[in-house]
Amino acid sequence: MEMVPEGLTEFLFWLLVATSFLGSFISTAAGIGGGVTMLAVMAQVMPPLALIPVHGLVQLGSNISRMTVMWKHIHWRFLGWFFLGGVLGAAVGVKVVTALPTAVLQTVLGLFILYSLWGPMPARAEASKRGLVAGGGLTTLASMFIGASGPLAMVIVKGYDYDRFTKVGTFSGVMVIQHGLKGIVFGIAGFAFMPYVPLVAFMVTAGFLGTLVGKRVLLNQNEDRFGVILNIVLTLLALRLLWQAGQDYFAG
């Protein structure tokens, strides 16, 4: 098995590995943002049809490692109801997942990243069993198409008055549910994961290291300046996606 999958260079291979470390560090230290960061970078270099399933598989591994590190802080009853909704969302997703044209996918991803950074979001989610089931279904279905639905799922987690560690730990469990179900759906749809196994393995390992480093600074960081820089970088990446999509539209 070739270590570098078709369509990538060795440099891009290791760039993605480094991005996985950074994404896990951000998700652990800041609570959210790592999945969108990694998606934004992967969208610049990955084959479009492989982007969402490979990103999901890497995120699954990274969030499993984050769950392991944050195990004692996870709210398991929350995850149980969310999982029920996630299964329903995945059942719908397996019926509607299709290969989108490159320009459409770039547009959706670019607009989603911009909205997750700058758009209005509900202040709090409905903290109820019914709200968890509905939220699990809708965000899991959304993750089939936009990849990094973390900002949407975090709104639900914020509906509970958890401490910072519990929010990060429970949110990692939410992401394991979503990306695990998404992997099953894309497998059923026929996506070939095998060529990307070496890349995913290296990215998951790097993500675990990023989680360990991120946990160390979870309570000891200056979030304001860090958040501003992160938002600027993500915004530039999203605008580049929209620029590429516009070029494809006009070329077509």
Side-chain angles (χ1 to χ4, degrees):
M1 179 186 297
E2 292 288 338
M3 188 171 75
V4 180
E6 185 177 356
L8 293 179
T9 65
E10 188 172 345
F11 170 78
L12 293 177
F13 181 99
W14 293 112
L15 174 64
L16 291 175
V17 172
T19 302
S20 180
F21 174 90
L22 177 63
S24 287
F25 169 81
I26 292 171
S27 286
T28 307
I32 195 172
V36 179
T37 300
M38 191 162 65
L39 180 68
V41 176
M42 292 178 71
Q44 314 300 318
V45 301
M46 290 285 296
L49 297 182
L51 174 60
I52 301 299
V54 173
H55 173 268
L57 193 59
V58 174
Q59 284 291 86
L60 174 62
S62 295
N63 280 284
I64 288 175
S65 70
R66 195 169 302 119
M67 279 187 70
T68 302
V69 173
M70 310 293 289
W71 188 265
K72 65 180 180 179
H73 301 285
I74 295 173
H75 196 286
W76 294 100
R77 185 174 297 178
F78 180 106
L79 292 187
W81 290 108
F82 192 94
F83 175 76
L84 177 59
V87 171
L88 298 176
V92 175
V94 75
K95 301 290 186 180
V96 300
V97 166
T98 56
L100 295 175
T102 301
V104 174
L105 182 59
Q106 289 172 329
T107 301
V108 171
L109 292 175
L111 291 176
F112 170 73
I113 292 170
L114 289 176
Y115 185 84
S116 69
L117 291 172
W118 307 109
M121 299 289 282
R124 299 180 75 86
E126 180 67 24
S128 68
K129 295 176 182 178
R130 185 175 299 177
L132 284 178
V133 173
L138 292 174
T139 58
T140 298
L141 178 61
S143 73
M144 308 287 176
F145 302 97
I146 60 178
S149 59
L152 303 178
M154 180 55 90
V155 173
I156 301 173
V157 178
K158 286 182 177 179
Y160 289 79
D161 190 22
Y162 295 146
D163 61 56
R164 201 168 175 197
F165 278 96
T166 302
K167 285 182 180 178
V168 173
T170 304
F171 178 70
S172 68
V174 167
M175 292 294 96
V176 167
I177 291 171
Q178 287 195 348
H179 293 301
L181 292 172
K182 181 166 61 178
I184 293 173
V185 168
F186 277 104
I188 293 173
F191 180 78
F193 285 101
M194 286 303 295
Y196 297 94
V197 167
L199 174 64
V200 170
F202 276 97
M203 291 182 72
V204 169
T205 301
F208 178 70
L209 296 176
T211 295
L212 294 179
V213 176
K215 186 180 180 182
R216 286 180 173 270
V217 299
L218 182 58
L219 295 177
N220 300 290
Q221 61 171 316
N222 184 335
E223 293 186 14
D224 293 336
R225 184 177 181 184
F226 177 76
V228 169
I229 295 173
L230 175 62
N231 286 352
I232 291 173
V233 172
L234 290 175
T235 298
L236 291 175
L237 290 170
L239 291 174
R240 183 183 176 191
L241 282 173
L242 295 175
W243 171 260
Q244 291 174 324
Q247 288 181 315
D248 289 340
Y249 282 130
F250 287 117

